[in-house]
Amino acid sequence: MIGRLAGRFVETVEQVALIDVSGVAYEVELSVGARSDLPPAGGDVALYTHLLVREDAQQLYGFASRSERELFRAVLRISGVGPKLALSLISAFDVDELAQAAADGDPGRLTRVPGIGRKTAQRMLLELKDRLAEFAVTPAAGRPKADASAVAEAERALAALGYRPQDAAQLVRQVGEPDMAAEEIVREALRAVGGRSAS
């Protein structure tokens, strides 16, 4: 199992980062939190990772913190949830927010994530309620981040304007609010940097 990588950040293509560790470059699919923490190309980076091994592929997933990785693993253990959906969920919610949704029994929050219907959300909340106890989290008032699909669309739009993927992710993370559409997120991100596209 590869649990952590520390090396030199090379580049990202969409959600996948290339990390050079002593001359060996690893492709790592990143959470939103990990993407927002990436340094400029050539900078040092350290990521907690989860290696998923299948018959036809081996895929590394990278996270900004140990708790983020453990949340990914907890979600991944839910029946019928694959790594793409788990990554989308933890990119849209942190531990406290999921704990609050589970405590409230509110599946509507989870259905904001693409690929999660109401029945799936209800089942996920039932299973997560017990598993989140592993994190010793006390449910507290929290709010969902911006919708995961809106976040992804806004990041693509900012990248089309010339922003590096890690810069786009960081901007979106800073300005995204619940129920904001992608266009609103992009508008707020541009306002935050003075209304300019990247040069």
Side-chain angles (χ1 to χ4, degrees), residues 119-132:
K119 288 185 178 179
T120 300
Q122 290 172 331
R123 177 168 49 81
M124 292 177 74
L125 287 179
L126 284 174
E127 295 193 40
L128 279 173
K129 192 169 185 178
D130 293 331
R131 290 178 180 168
L132 288 174

Side-chain angles (χ1 to χ4, degrees), residues 31-56:
S31 68
V32 167
R35 289 204 306 276
S36 67
D37 288 345
L38 285 173
D44 293 333
V45 63
L47 298 168
Y48 286 93
T49 59
H50 175 84
L51 176 63
L52 188 66
V53 179
R54 292 180 168 173
E55 291 182 4
D56 58 344

Side-chain angles (χ1 to χ4, degrees), residues 8-53:
R8 182 175 58 86
F9 169 59
V10 179
E11 63 178 354
T12 55
V13 178
E14 296 183 352
Q15 295 186 118
V16 179
L18 197 63
I19 310 296
D20 187 317
V21 181
S22 301
V24 178
Y26 293 85
E27 290 185 345
V28 188
E29 189 160 350
L30 303 178
S31 68
V32 167
R35 289 204 306 276
S36 67
D37 288 345
L38 285 173
D44 293 333
V45 63
L47 298 168
Y48 286 93
T49 59
H50 175 84
L51 176 63
L52 188 66
V53 179

Side-chain angles (χ1 to χ4, degrees), residues 4-115:
R4 187 173 180 273
L5 285 180
R8 182 175 58 86
F9 169 59
V10 179
E11 63 178 354
T12 55
V13 178
E14 296 183 352
Q15 295 186 118
V16 179
L18 197 63
I19 310 296
D20 187 317
V21 181
S22 301
V24 178
Y26 293 85
E27 290 185 345
V28 188
E29 189 160 350
L30 303 178
S31 68
V32 167
R35 289 204 306 276
S36 67
D37 288 345
L38 285 173
D44 293 333
V45 63
L47 298 168
Y48 286 93
T49 59
H50 175 84
L51 176 63
L52 188 66
V53 179
R54 292 180 168 173
E55 291 182 4
D56 58 344
Q58 296 185 24
Q59 179 64 56
L60 264 179
Y61 295 88
F63 308 93
S65 66
R66 186 193 302 270
S67 63
E68 190 180 52
R69 182 187 65 187
E70 295 312 307
L71 179 59
F72 172 82
R73 288 175 172 174
V75 173
L76 197 58
R77 290 199 297 269
I78 296 173
S79 175
V81 175
K84 298 287 187 183
L85 187 55
L87 201 63
S88 293
L89 188 68
I90 70 157
S91 292
F93 299 92
D94 62 23
V95 178
D96 288 332
E97 290 163 347
L98 280 176
Q100 186 67 45
D104 294 343
D106 181 8
R109 297 186 191 179
L110 271 60
T111 58
R112 297 174 181 175
V113 178

Side-chain angles (χ1 to χ4, degrees), residues 141-156:
R143 61 179 184 177
K145 299 181 180 69
D147 180 271
S149 61
V151 165
E153 186 178 343
E155 288 181 9
R156 288 194 295 270

